[in-house]
Amino acid sequence: MPKKIFKNTIVSLRLRPTALFSFVASLAAAVAPTKAAGVESRSPASLNATDSTKDSFRLTFALGSPRRFATRFNKETRTLELRVSPAKADEFKSSAYFDTRYVRRVVVQEKGGDVILSLQLKNAPVGWVVATKDSPWRIVLDIWRVGPSRPESLEEAWDWQEDAYSSLESSHPATPHHTQGAVAPQPDSPVDVPSLEGSNANTSQTAASGAPSEKANSSDTAQPSDQRSAQGRKTPNDALFPKNFGALERKLGPSPEKLSTLQRLAGASLGRDDEFEKLQTLARELHVTGDDAGSLATYRKLAVLSERRFLEQDSNLWSAGESAYLVRNFDAAEDYFRALALRHPSSALTSQAKLRLLDMELLTDENEIDKGRPSKRYADEYARIAASEASTSSAKIAASLRLLAKKIESAQDNADDETIATANLYSRTFDTCVTSDRVTFEMQNSCAYILTRTAISKSDVLSADGALLKFKNAWPKDARAAELEKKVQLMVQSFLEESLRTRTWDAWVSFERKARPALFEFTLKNPELTFARADAFDTVGDSARSLQLYEVFWQTSAASPRRDEAAARGALLAAKLREGRRVETNLRRLQESATRRATGLNDKSVAALRELTMPPNGNARALSLLLDEMRYGRYVERELAALLRFASMLRRSPSVDAVFEKILQAPLKGAEETAQVEAAIMGYANDLRDSGRLQKSAEMFMAVAGLAQGGKRAEAAYKAGIVFARSGQIEKAKASWQAAASDLSDKRYSNLAAERLERLR
């Protein structure tokens, strides 16, 4: 190529004449044999035949007609760039096959009728030359080893490599070639950077692979040079993307007016000194509003404008990497994050970059089945990030969630002590997470859940319920709240059962008075627990609450002696509260109970009924129920005073006979009891006489006459004789009067009896 034409080619393509191949080298390579378009392992003419296939390879592009071309070499990223004009990307398909001993990756990009072929060379001592051949006209690229290779350092291996493959991911929408994991450009791209030919002549641009790919949203056609489906990272699909592995910071709602303004300003600044600043402002706005694809594309354009300025700011690298991560472009994200860690090791964002690198390694590790519960190797790394003082709060929160979120969620009922202890270590981090206005809602939800779960495990019942209420109010749609509710209910049930076992109700009653009523709704499904609660309040003297629970128990339980007991004790409590209607309601329930008639009442029911019969209550229905128990022999009243009270309440009623039978059988302990019994039986005998039951009346009179310490023996014997005489039993009447006449303790009735005997003579 003539020197003038070559110079004009450089100027027209606006490429810096950096490391251009020499004209002498071109002539030297011109004598090298070539083949048709394809890949050859041939050395230049200077190499001998024995090393021709071992230490070199050749790329040949048969173009048919002469073209203009220029080359440049970027030393920083070791990228050799060949620009051919005019040309189409389809003419360089052979570049998809290259020698991986010398080339890391190849990118073919078509724009504005030109084709840019970028070869990123590996860190090995190689020489290269570009030449042309005729018949047919073709471009020949030879690369050969010039010395022994040396191992790459970590920085050299991971230094800025983004552009070498990023252009693969930013092709025209109509282009069918896409690399796995690439980001498809959006039709409504926020700003379109013009082609190199349309830029200002003074604008400095780099085409090396050290910067992110040129014009991710332009109309250039990118051909996949290395099939990354075979060599690149395998990106997990959405189904395998665990919770809390999303964005680290909360995204703001998009503002169409603000975005439109920033787009307009960025478009108007093209070719001016403030172009980089305007585009950077737009990229940041896209990132914080959640347009990750647009943000990534715009950051790539920033790198095209000025790689140096792009790499100087850690926030650019972080935002670009985070956007690539969120759109599942892990290869691009990894390069951004590694560049951030290497170029800005003291930056606070470096901790977040390391976190993301570890996330991507975990997510693409096929040996890790449950990504939400990382193995010890990953867990140790997350623990280091969470404990490091250099880590940002976002990195600490995310790392802590990686360690604990899935463990806590998968152990609803039986979270082991070690997990709870670990959660307590990070409690300050989770507190910060819950109150932060930068953390995503998803992460805040997980933090709040972990705090609540640990609080339930280590707190008393009342504090645990308070933590649960706080969580439910903050996250009302979280389905896990139901599981936490069950956990608290189990604690309440355990507390109630322990109180029931020890019969110590003070602590329980104090708790129930402070706790919310809804916490005890589960006891309605277990009537025995409801009865225990009623018994607790009855024990401490809270009659109103106890009565309410006894009535609830009666309504929710099946027929049983315990149900009858609830009615009896409820009636007694209602009497104490002076609620006569509720007393009668409960006694009527007891009276109609089939269980009572079949099996009788238990001791507590009888005790409640007995107390209802005593002053000041004196309830006749309760006494009737008590007498039924006495009649069937299921209850024996051994207290004479109670029997006498029953007799007084039942005077002149048929039920009183059973009471006096018990009175007659009761042992008398003194003169006072004897006098009380004499008076009661005498009154009962008189009632029997007046009602016409003469035989029964006479028997009662004779019973009094037979009392050893009685003071009314003569009177009773005299009246028994009169009753016998009225019934026609003259002989019995004589015997009674004789007994009365012989009892000189009461001269009045003794003399009357003697007079009766005289008349019969």
Side-chain angles (χ1 to χ4, degrees):
M1 180 183 296
K3 184 176 182 181
K4 182 177 180 180
I5 295 177
F6 183 73
K7 181 178 180 181
N8 291 338
T9 300
I10 298 174
V11 173
S12 65
L13 297 178
R14 289 196 175 96
L15 297 175
R16 293 179 296 179
T18 305
L20 295 176
F21 68 92
S22 65
F23 183 68
V24 177
S26 299
L27 292 178
V31 299
T34 62
K35 291 185 178 181
V39 178
E40 298 180 278
S41 291
R42 294 281 303 228
S43 64
S46 59
L47 296 179
N48 56 48
T50 57
D51 297 330
S52 60
T53 61
K54 181 179 180 182
D55 297 321
S56 68
F57 84 101
R58 168 176 288 180
L59 282 172
T60 302
F61 306 103
L63 303 178
S65 59
R67 314 289 175 90
R68 294 179 299 170
F69 70 96
T71 61
R72 67 176 175 181
F73 183 74
N74 188 313
K75 295 181 179 179
E76 183 177 359
T77 59
R78 295 184 58 78
T79 303
L80 172 62
E81 183 174 292
L82 172 65
R83 186 156 191 168
V84 183
S85 177
K88 293 184 178 180
D90 291 339
E91 297 176 297
F92 294 82
K93 288 183 177 180
S94 60
S95 63
Y97 309 94
F98 56 87
D99 194 331
T100 57
R101 295 176 301 170
Y102 306 105
V103 179
R104 189 183 303 276
R105 50 178 71 92
V106 178
V107 176
V108 179
Q109 189 175 20
E110 179 183 345
K111 63 173 130 180
D114 296 348
V115 171
I116 300 175
L117 176 66
S118 300
L119 295 90
Q120 187 176 25
L121 304 180
K122 287 193 173 181
N123 188 22
V126 297
W128 55 270
V129 66
V130 179
T132 62
K133 299 291 287 182
D134 295 325
S135 300
W137 195 91
R138 56 198 181 277
I139 295 177
V140 180
L141 170 61
D142 285 296
I143 299 178
W144 67 93
R145 186 187 303 278
V146 298
S149 61
R150 62 183 180 85
E152 294 179 326
S153 66
L154 180 63
E155 182 170 1
E156 290 172 331
W158 288 104
D159 204 356
W160 187 256
Q161 307 289 347
E162 173 63 15
D163 189 54
Y165 58 85
S166 60
S167 61
L168 294 174
E169 304 155 359
S170 53
S171 59
H172 192 275
T175 303
H177 304 286
H178 297 284
T179 302
Q180 182 179 355
V183 181
Q186 295 182 345
D188 54 346
S189 176
V191 64
D192 186 20
V193 179
S195 63
L196 292 176
E197 286 72 8
S199 302
N200 188 289
N202 296 328
T203 303
S204 175
Q205 301 192 19
T206 61
S209 62
S213 174
E214 300 107 335
K215 299 180 178 48
N217 292 341
S218 68
S219 61
D220 303 338
T221 302
Q223 298 289 349
S225 59
D226 60 310
Q227 299 301 323
R228 298 188 64 81
S229 61
Q231 299 181 11
R233 181 187 298 276
K234 182 179 179 181
T235 304
N237 55 36
D238 291 343
L240 298 178
F241 212 66
K243 184 180 179 181
N244 298 316
F245 277 74
L248 291 186
E249 296 180 350
R250 189 180 304 174
K251 301 295 185 180
L252 304 177
S255 173
E257 296 80 6
K258 185 176 181 180
L259 280 178
S260 178
T261 301
L262 293 176
Q263 290 172 1
R264 187 168 56 254
L265 292 176
S269 66
L270 290 176
R272 300 194 320 218
D273 293 340
D274 61 344
E275 180 179 3
F276 187 89
E277 288 77 7
K278 299 296 183 182
L279 200 60
Q280 182 175 252
T281 303
L282 175 60
R284 290 175 178 172
E285 182 65 19
L286 291 170
H287 176 68
V288 300
T289 56
D291 187 355
D292 300 309
S295 171
L296 177 60
T298 309
Y299 274 115
R300 284 171 169 167
K301 294 174 184 179
L302 281 177
V304 172
L305 289 176
S306 177
E307 178 184 354
R308 176 185 58 81
R309 296 176 66 184
F310 179 79
L311 298 177
E312 283 177 351
Q313 299 190 35
D314 56 352
S315 60
N316 287 341
L317 292 169
W318 162 252
S319 299
E322 180 73 348
S323 297
Y325 171 86
L326 293 176
V327 297
R328 310 295 195 272
N329 189 347
F330 282 8
D331 289 309
E334 184 172 4
D335 284 348
Y336 281 114
F337 291 137
R338 289 192 180 277
L340 172 58
L342 290 171
R343 294 178 181 273
H344 304 278
S346 61
S347 170
L349 295 175
T350 299
S351 61
Q352 297 180 190
K354 292 180 179 179
L355 173 75
R356 281 307 192 207
L357 289 172
L358 189 59
D359 285 346
M360 291 186 291
E361 184 180 356
L362 171 63
L363 293 175
T364 55
D365 189 345
E366 296 182 354
N367 295 324
E368 291 288 324
I369 305 302
D370 190 351
K371 310 296 183 182
R373 301 185 69 172
S375 61
K376 186 177 186 302
R377 181 170 72 87
Y378 292 102
D380 290 344
E381 293 297 327
Y382 283 126
R384 290 190 187 96
I385 295 174
S388 175
E389 294 295 332
S391 299
T392 63
S393 60
S394 297
K396 289 182 178 180
I397 291 168
S400 302
L401 289 176
R402 307 288 190 273
L403 291 171
L404 291 167
K406 191 65 177 291
K407 288 184 179 180
I408 293 291
E409 291 179 4
S410 60
Q412 289 288 347
D413 297 328
N414 299 309
D416 54 63
D417 295 339
E418 182 180 355
T419 301
I420 298 300
T422 305
N424 291 333
L425 291 177
Y426 298 109
S427 60
R428 183 175 299 178
T429 300
F430 294 135
D431 287 335
T432 302
C433 169
V434 171
T435 58
S436 174
D437 58 353
R438 298 183 60 187
V439 177
T440 63
F441 292 112
E442 182 184 56
M443 294 173 66
Q444 274 191 332
N445 178 226
S446 295
C447 292
Y449 178 81
I450 292 174
L451 286 176
T452 305
R453 183 65 180 81
T454 53
I456 290 175
S457 298
K458 69 179 182 180
S459 304
D460 59 90
V461 183
L462 200 59
S463 300
D465 184 49
L468 172 61
L469 278 179
K470 185 177 179 181
F471 179 79
K472 291 175 68 175
N473 292 334
W475 308 97
K477 296 182 179 181
D478 195 324
R480 296 174 298 179
E483 296 296 333
L484 295 177
E485 185 90 32
K486 291 181 181 178
K487 180 68 176 177
V488 174
Q489 288 177 356
L490 287 175
M491 296 176 65
V492 175
Q493 182 174 345
S494 177
F495 185 17
L496 178 56
E497 291 173 349
E498 178 64 19
S499 300
L500 179 61
R501 185 183 66 83
T502 60
R503 304 299 299 179
T504 53
W505 294 114
D506 291 339
W508 168 261
V509 170
S510 176
F511 160 71
E512 186 166 347
R513 285 172 176 170
K514 296 177 182 178
R516 57 191 174 97
L519 192 61
F520 307 100
E521 290 180 355
F522 75 96
T523 61
L524 299 179
K525 299 178 181 179
N526 188 343
E528 292 301 319
L529 295 181
T530 304
F531 190 89
R533 292 171 58 202
D535 189 23
F537 282 100
D538 192 4
T539 302
V540 300
D542 191 340
S543 301
R545 181 62 174 160
S546 180
L547 172 59
Q548 181 183 9
L549 290 171
Y550 278 134
E551 291 178 342
V552 170
F553 173 81
W554 190 92
Q555 294 170 357
T556 57
S557 62
S560 65
R562 180 64 65 87
R563 189 169 186 246
D564 293 340
E565 180 184 343
R569 296 176 70 174
L572 178 59
L573 293 172
K576 293 179 179 179
L577 296 172
R578 297 182 179 179
E579 296 186 21
R581 181 176 298 178
R582 295 176 76 176
V583 172
E584 293 302 317
T585 298
N586 281 281
L587 290 177
R588 193 177 300 110
R589 290 171 176 172
L590 189 59
Q591 193 172 30
E592 296 171 356
S593 172
T595 304
R596 177 190 68 84
R597 290 193 293 268
T599 61
L601 301 175
N602 59 26
D603 293 342
K604 291 185 177 181
S605 300
V606 170
L609 292 176
R610 185 175 180 277
E611 188 172 349
L612 281 170
T613 62
M614 302 296 176
N617 300 315
N619 189 283
R621 193 184 296 272
L623 179 58
S624 174
L625 292 169
L626 203 58
L627 291 177
D628 284 346
E629 295 300 300
M630 294 173 63
R631 185 179 305 111
Y632 294 120
R634 297 189 293 244
Y635 164 65
V636 177
E637 177 58 63
R638 303 183 184 280
E639 185 177 340
L640 182 60
L643 291 172
L644 293 174
R645 217 168 7 253
F646 295 164
S648 175
M649 294 174 60
L650 296 172
R651 188 173 182 181
R652 295 187 178 89
S653 69
S655 302
V656 75
D657 295 346
V659 177
F660 276 101
E661 288 178 4
K662 298 296 181 182
I663 292 175
L664 292 174
Q665 296 173 4
L668 302 179
K669 299 178 181 179
E672 183 178 357
E673 288 187 355
T674 302
Q676 293 175 350
V677 170
E678 280 182 334
I681 296 177
M682 291 293 288
Y684 174 53
N686 290 330
D687 293 337
L688 291 173
R689 182 193 60 196
D690 296 340
S691 63
R693 299 173 61 186
L694 300 179
Q695 182 62 31
K696 186 67 174 177
S697 174
E699 291 176 358
M700 291 297 104
F701 281 129
M702 291 304 296
V704 175
L707 294 176
Q709 300 178 359
K712 296 184 177 182
R713 289 177 298 175
E715 178 183 358
Y718 174 74
K719 291 183 177 181
I722 293 176
V723 173
F724 280 134
R726 288 180 58 184
S727 62
Q729 303 180 52
I730 301 300
E731 295 301 325
K732 290 184 177 181
K734 288 181 179 179
S736 298
W737 285 330
Q738 287 175 354
S742 62
D743 189 350
L744 301 178
S745 60
D746 188 343
K747 293 182 179 181
R748 177 187 173 190
Y749 285 100
S750 177
N751 294 334
L752 290 174
E755 291 177 2
R756 291 283 183 177
L757 290 172
E758 287 293 330
R759 292 177 185 176
L760 290 176
R761 292 175 185 174

